[in-house]
Amino acid sequence: MKLATKEEIEEIKRRLLEHYPAAETELHYRNAYELLVAIMLSAQCTDKRVNMITPALFEKYPDIPSLANADLDEVKALIKTCSFFNNKAKNLIKMAQMVMEEYGGEIPMDEKKLVKLPGVGQKTAHVFMIEYTHANLMAVDTHVFRVAHRLGLSDAKTVEGTEKDLVEKFKTDLNRIHQAMVLFGRYICTAKNPKCDTECFLTDLCKSRESFKAK
C-alpha cells in the first residue's frame, strides 16, 4: 500500500478539521475526575456502555476522596457490565488513593504524573489531556489506528509507531485531529462495511478503497 503524499496529508487534515470543527469525546463527564474515570473504563469497552455505567458510579463516589475509600466489591458491582471490571475496579480505587497521597486529591495535568497512576497508560493520559486541556497530543485507539492505515498515513505495525507517524505528519492541531479521526472511524470508516460510497468525504484520498470494492 502506498503512503499518503505531503499534499494528501494536508488535504486529509483540512477535511477532517472542516467536517469535525468541534469534535470532542462522547464520554459524559462534568470534571477532571469523572473524565479520567470514564476514560479508564472505556478501555476495551464502548463509550455508550461507559455512559450507562458512570451515573450510578458517580452518584455513589462523586469525587476522588470517596473513591479512594470505596469498597472494592461495591465498585465491581457498579461496573460489572464493563469489560475487565475486576482489574478496572482495583485500578480505579488505587488511582484515587495515589491522587490523594501524591497530589492532594487533584488530578495532575502532567503526562509524566498521569502515567504513574494505576490503570493509566500513555494512551489514557493522552486522551485525558487532549479532551481536558486541548494538549497538542495524539492518541491511537482502534478507530484511529484503522483510519491511519486505510488513508496511508502510517504503515506501522504498532500503536506506538502509528502515533509517532501521525505526530510527525500532522504536527499541529493533533488534539482536534485525534477527536475527528475517532468519530470518522466510529461512524464512517467502520471496521466492517465502511461507508465509502455514501458518507465518506475522503474516498479520493483512501489507499484501501479498492480492497473494499473487491469484496
Side-chain angles (χ1 to χ4, degrees):
M1 182 184 74
K2 289 184 179 180
L3 289 175
T5 64
K6 186 176 181 180
E7 291 74 19
E8 288 172 332
I9 292 166
E10 286 302 311
E11 183 60 17
I12 289 168
K13 179 178 182 177
R14 186 191 70 77
R15 292 189 202 177
L16 283 171
L17 295 178
E18 180 182 273
H19 278 77
Y20 301 102
E24 56 186 20
T25 183
E26 293 188 311
L27 292 168
H28 298 164
Y29 72 95
R30 293 169 293 189
N31 50 51
Y33 159 69
E34 291 188 359
L35 176 62
L36 184 58
V37 168
I39 295 171
M40 289 174 68
L41 288 173
S42 71
Q44 305 296 314
C45 187
T46 65
D47 287 4
K48 185 177 181 181
R49 169 61 55 186
V50 172
N51 289 336
M52 293 169 67
I53 293 169
T54 49
L57 180 67
F58 294 147
E59 184 177 352
K60 180 79 174 179
Y61 306 109
D63 49 30
I64 286 288
S66 58
L67 185 61
N69 291 297
D71 178 82
L72 178 60
D73 288 333
E74 288 184 358
V75 175
K76 286 182 181 180
L78 287 165
I79 68 170
K80 64 183 179 182
T81 59
C82 188
S83 54
F84 306 107
F85 71 92
N86 283 312
N87 281 337
K88 288 179 179 178
K90 293 174 187 175
N91 282 331
L92 286 173
I93 294 173
K94 289 179 181 177
M95 176 276 291
Q97 290 171 343
M98 186 170 176
V99 170
M100 289 299 295
E101 294 166 7
E102 301 288 332
Y103 307 115
E106 297 290 328
I107 303 290
M109 298 294 158
D110 177 270
E111 181 183 351
K112 290 181 180 178
K113 292 178 180 178
L114 281 169
V115 296
K116 290 180 181 178
L117 297 174
V120 179
Q122 181 179 300
K123 190 189 92 173
T124 297
H126 281 197
V127 171
F128 174 82
M129 294 185 70
I130 285 167
E131 173 67 21
Y132 203 76
T133 71
H134 305 298
N136 188 47
L137 294 169
M138 177 56 65
V140 177
D141 66 359
T142 181
H143 302 298
V144 174
F145 187 89
R146 180 173 63 253
V147 170
H149 286 73
R150 286 182 178 173
L151 291 175
L153 296 169
S154 175
D155 58 3
K157 304 298 184 187
T158 65
V159 165
E160 295 78 11
T162 303
E163 180 185 310
K164 184 172 180 286
D165 286 341
L166 293 174
V167 170
E168 289 178 352
K169 288 174 179 176
F170 287 128
K171 296 183 176 63
T172 60
D173 294 307
L174 297 178
N175 57 317
R176 295 172 62 205
I177 294 168
H178 162 77
Q179 303 281 36
M181 289 179 75
V182 168
L183 294 178
F184 180 68
R186 185 174 289 164
Y187 297 110
I188 298 176
C189 193
T190 50
K192 295 181 180 179
N193 303 314
K195 300 173 177 64
C196 305
D197 297 318
T198 54
E199 296 181 38
C200 185
F201 52 86
L202 293 170
T203 307
D204 57 313
L205 297 168
C206 184
K207 304 301 182 184
S208 307
R209 189 184 178 205
E210 292 304 314
S211 64
F212 295 115
K213 289 174 68 177
K215 290 180 180 178

Short mmCIF file of all heavy atoms in Angstrom, two decimals, residues 9-34:
data_model
loop_
_atom_site.label_atom_id
_atom_site.label_comp_id
_atom_site.label_asym_id
_atom_site.label_seq_id
_atom_site.Cartn_x
_atom_site.Cartn_y
_atom_site.Cartn_z
N ILE A 9 -1.66 14.49 2.76
CA ILE A 9 -1.75 14.62 4.22
C ILE A 9 -2.38 15.95 4.60
O ILE A 9 -3.26 16.01 5.46
CB ILE A 9 -0.35 14.49 4.85
CG1 ILE A 9 0.18 13.06 4.68
CG2 ILE A 9 -0.38 14.86 6.34
CD1 ILE A 9 1.66 12.91 4.96
N GLU A 10 -1.94 17.01 3.94
CA GLU A 10 -2.51 18.34 4.22
C GLU A 10 -4.00 18.40 3.88
O GLU A 10 -4.78 19.02 4.59
CB GLU A 10 -1.74 19.42 3.44
CG GLU A 10 -0.36 19.72 3.99
CD GLU A 10 -0.40 20.17 5.43
OE1 GLU A 10 -1.21 21.06 5.76
OE2 GLU A 10 0.37 19.62 6.25
N GLU A 11 -4.39 17.73 2.80
CA GLU A 11 -5.80 17.74 2.41
C GLU A 11 -6.63 16.89 3.37
O GLU A 11 -7.76 17.28 3.72
CB GLU A 11 -5.95 17.21 0.98
CG GLU A 11 -7.37 17.23 0.42
CD GLU A 11 -7.99 18.60 0.37
OE1 GLU A 11 -7.26 19.63 0.44
OE2 GLU A 11 -9.23 18.68 0.24
N ILE A 12 -6.10 15.77 3.81
CA ILE A 12 -6.79 14.95 4.80
C ILE A 12 -7.02 15.76 6.08
O ILE A 12 -8.11 15.77 6.65
CB ILE A 12 -5.98 13.67 5.12
CG1 ILE A 12 -6.02 12.72 3.92
CG2 ILE A 12 -6.52 12.98 6.37
CD1 ILE A 12 -5.03 11.56 4.03
N LYS A 13 -5.97 16.45 6.51
CA LYS A 13 -6.07 17.27 7.72
C LYS A 13 -7.12 18.36 7.55
O LYS A 13 -7.97 18.56 8.44
CB LYS A 13 -4.69 17.90 8.01
CG LYS A 13 -4.67 18.81 9.23
CD LYS A 13 -3.25 19.33 9.45
CE LYS A 13 -3.16 20.20 10.67
NZ LYS A 13 -1.78 20.68 10.94
N ARG A 14 -7.10 19.03 6.43
CA ARG A 14 -8.04 20.11 6.18
C ARG A 14 -9.48 19.60 6.22
O ARG A 14 -10.34 20.22 6.86
CB ARG A 14 -7.75 20.76 4.81
CG ARG A 14 -8.59 22.00 4.52
CD ARG A 14 -8.47 22.44 3.07
NE ARG A 14 -9.12 21.51 2.15
CZ ARG A 14 -10.46 21.45 1.97
NH1 ARG A 14 -11.27 22.23 2.66
NH2 ARG A 14 -10.96 20.59 1.10
N ARG A 15 -9.74 18.49 5.56
CA ARG A 15 -11.11 17.96 5.51
C ARG A 15 -11.58 17.45 6.86
O ARG A 15 -12.74 17.63 7.23
CB ARG A 15 -11.21 16.85 4.45
CG ARG A 15 -11.03 17.35 3.03
CD ARG A 15 -11.37 16.24 2.04
NE ARG A 15 -10.76 16.46 0.75
CZ ARG A 15 -10.83 15.61 -0.28
NH1 ARG A 15 -11.52 14.47 -0.14
NH2 ARG A 15 -10.24 15.86 -1.43
N LEU A 16 -10.70 16.79 7.59
CA LEU A 16 -11.08 16.30 8.92
C LEU A 16 -11.48 17.45 9.83
O LEU A 16 -12.50 17.39 10.52
CB LEU A 16 -9.93 15.51 9.55
CG LEU A 16 -9.71 14.09 9.03
CD1 LEU A 16 -8.39 13.52 9.58
CD2 LEU A 16 -10.87 13.17 9.42
N LEU A 17 -10.68 18.51 9.83
CA LEU A 17 -10.97 19.66 10.69
C LEU A 17 -12.21 20.41 10.21
O LEU A 17 -12.94 20.98 11.02
CB LEU A 17 -9.75 20.60 10.73
CG LEU A 17 -8.49 20.02 11.38
CD1 LEU A 17 -7.35 21.02 11.33
CD2 LEU A 17 -8.77 19.58 12.82
N GLU A 18 -12.44 20.39 8.92
CA GLU A 18 -13.62 21.06 8.35
C GLU A 18 -14.90 20.30 8.70
O GLU A 18 -15.91 20.91 9.05
CB GLU A 18 -13.48 21.16 6.84
CG GLU A 18 -14.65 21.85 6.14
CD GLU A 18 -14.48 21.86 4.63
OE1 GLU A 18 -13.84 22.81 4.12
OE2 GLU A 18 -14.96 20.92 3.96
N HIS A 19 -14.84 18.98 8.63
CA HIS A 19 -16.04 18.17 8.90
C HIS A 19 -16.31 18.00 10.39
O HIS A 19 -17.45 17.75 10.79
CB HIS A 19 -15.91 16.79 8.25
CG HIS A 19 -16.26 16.79 6.79
ND1 HIS A 19 -15.42 17.27 5.82
CD2 HIS A 19 -17.40 16.39 6.15
CE1 HIS A 19 -16.02 17.16 4.63
NE2 HIS A 19 -17.20 16.63 4.81
N TYR A 20 -15.27 18.11 11.21
CA TYR A 20 -15.45 17.96 12.66
C TYR A 20 -14.83 19.18 13.37
O TYR A 20 -13.83 19.06 14.07
CB TYR A 20 -14.79 16.67 13.15
CG TYR A 20 -15.32 15.42 12.50
CD1 TYR A 20 -14.60 14.78 11.47
CD2 TYR A 20 -16.53 14.85 12.90
CE1 TYR A 20 -15.08 13.62 10.88
CE2 TYR A 20 -17.02 13.69 12.30
CZ TYR A 20 -16.29 13.09 11.30
OH TYR A 20 -16.77 11.94 10.71
N PRO A 21 -15.42 20.36 13.19
CA PRO A 21 -14.83 21.57 13.74
C PRO A 21 -14.83 21.64 15.26
O PRO A 21 -14.02 22.34 15.86
CB PRO A 21 -15.69 22.68 13.14
CG PRO A 21 -17.02 22.02 12.89
CD PRO A 21 -16.68 20.62 12.47
N ALA A 22 -15.73 20.93 15.88
CA ALA A 22 -15.83 20.98 17.34
C ALA A 22 -15.89 19.57 17.93
O ALA A 22 -16.62 19.31 18.89
CB ALA A 22 -17.06 21.78 17.76
N ALA A 23 -15.12 18.67 17.36
CA ALA A 23 -15.15 17.28 17.82
C ALA A 23 -14.65 17.17 19.25
O ALA A 23 -13.69 17.82 19.66
CB ALA A 23 -14.27 16.42 16.91
N GLU A 24 -15.35 16.36 20.03
CA GLU A 24 -14.95 16.11 21.41
C GLU A 24 -15.36 14.69 21.78
O GLU A 24 -16.07 14.02 21.04
CB GLU A 24 -15.60 17.12 22.36
CG GLU A 24 -17.11 17.15 22.26
CD GLU A 24 -17.73 18.26 23.09
OE1 GLU A 24 -17.03 19.24 23.44
OE2 GLU A 24 -18.93 18.16 23.39
N THR A 25 -14.91 14.25 22.94
CA THR A 25 -15.23 12.89 23.36
C THR A 25 -16.74 12.70 23.52
O THR A 25 -17.47 13.64 23.82
CB THR A 25 -14.55 12.55 24.71
OG1 THR A 25 -14.83 11.19 25.03
CG2 THR A 25 -15.04 13.43 25.83
N GLU A 26 -17.19 11.48 23.31
CA GLU A 26 -18.60 11.16 23.52
C GLU A 26 -18.85 10.62 24.92
O GLU A 26 -19.97 10.26 25.26
CB GLU A 26 -19.07 10.16 22.45
CG GLU A 26 -19.08 10.78 21.06
CD GLU A 26 -19.70 9.88 20.01
OE1 GLU A 26 -19.33 8.68 19.94
OE2 GLU A 26 -20.55 10.38 19.24
N LEU A 27 -17.79 10.56 25.72
CA LEU A 27 -17.95 10.18 27.12
C LEU A 27 -18.59 11.33 27.89
O LEU A 27 -18.25 12.49 27.67
CB LEU A 27 -16.58 9.85 27.74
CG LEU A 27 -15.87 8.59 27.22
CD1 LEU A 27 -14.44 8.57 27.71
CD2 LEU A 27 -16.61 7.33 27.64
N HIS A 28 -19.48 11.01 28.81
CA HIS A 28 -20.14 12.04 29.61
C HIS A 28 -19.34 12.31 30.88
O HIS A 28 -18.98 11.37 31.60
CB HIS A 28 -21.56 11.59 29.99
CG HIS A 28 -22.46 11.37 28.82
ND1 HIS A 28 -23.64 10.66 28.89
CD2 HIS A 28 -22.35 11.76 27.51
CE1 HIS A 28 -24.21 10.62 27.70
NE2 HIS A 28 -23.44 11.28 26.84
N TYR A 29 -19.06 13.58 31.14
CA TYR A 29 -18.30 13.94 32.35
C TYR A 29 -18.57 15.39 32.71
O TYR A 29 -18.98 16.19 31.88
CB TYR A 29 -16.80 13.72 32.14
CG TYR A 29 -16.15 14.71 31.21
CD1 TYR A 29 -15.50 15.84 31.71
CD2 TYR A 29 -16.19 14.55 29.83
CE1 TYR A 29 -14.90 16.77 30.86
CE2 TYR A 29 -15.59 15.46 28.98
CZ TYR A 29 -14.96 16.58 29.50
OH TYR A 29 -14.39 17.50 28.65
N ARG A 30 -18.32 15.72 33.97
CA ARG A 30 -18.54 17.10 34.45
C ARG A 30 -17.27 17.74 35.00
O ARG A 30 -17.24 18.95 35.24
CB ARG A 30 -19.63 17.11 35.54
CG ARG A 30 -21.01 16.74 35.03
CD ARG A 30 -21.99 16.51 36.17
NE ARG A 30 -21.62 15.33 36.94
CZ ARG A 30 -22.40 14.79 37.88
NH1 ARG A 30 -23.57 15.34 38.16
NH2 ARG A 30 -21.99 13.72 38.55
N ASN A 31 -16.24 16.93 35.20
CA ASN A 31 -14.99 17.46 35.75
C ASN A 31 -13.85 16.50 35.43
O ASN A 31 -14.06 15.45 34.83
CB ASN A 31 -15.12 17.67 37.27
CG ASN A 31 -15.66 16.44 37.97
OD1 ASN A 31 -15.15 15.34 37.78
ND2 ASN A 31 -16.71 16.60 38.78
N ALA A 32 -12.65 16.87 35.84
CA ALA A 32 -11.46 16.06 35.51
C ALA A 32 -11.54 14.66 36.11
O ALA A 32 -11.14 13.68 35.47
CB ALA A 32 -10.20 16.78 36.01
N TYR A 33 -12.04 14.57 37.32
CA TYR A 33 -12.20 13.26 37.98
C TYR A 33 -13.09 12.33 37.16
O TYR A 33 -12.73 11.19 36.87
CB TYR A 33 -12.77 13.47 39.39
CG TYR A 33 -13.42 12.25 39.98
CD1 TYR A 33 -12.67 11.13 40.35
CD2 TYR A 33 -14.81 12.21 40.19
CE1 TYR A 33 -13.28 10.01 40.90
CE2 TYR A 33 -15.42 11.10 40.75
CZ TYR A 33 -14.65 10.00 41.10
OH TYR A 33 -15.26 8.89 41.64
N GLU A 34 -14.26 12.83 36.79
CA GLU A 34 -15.20 12.00 36.03
C GLU A 34 -14.65 11.63 34.66
O GLU A 34 -14.86 10.51 34.17
CB GLU A 34 -16.54 12.72 35.90
CG GLU A 34 -17.29 12.84 37.22
CD GLU A 34 -18.70 13.37 37.06
OE1 GLU A 34 -19.10 13.67 35.90
OE2 GLU A 34 -19.42 13.49 38.07
#
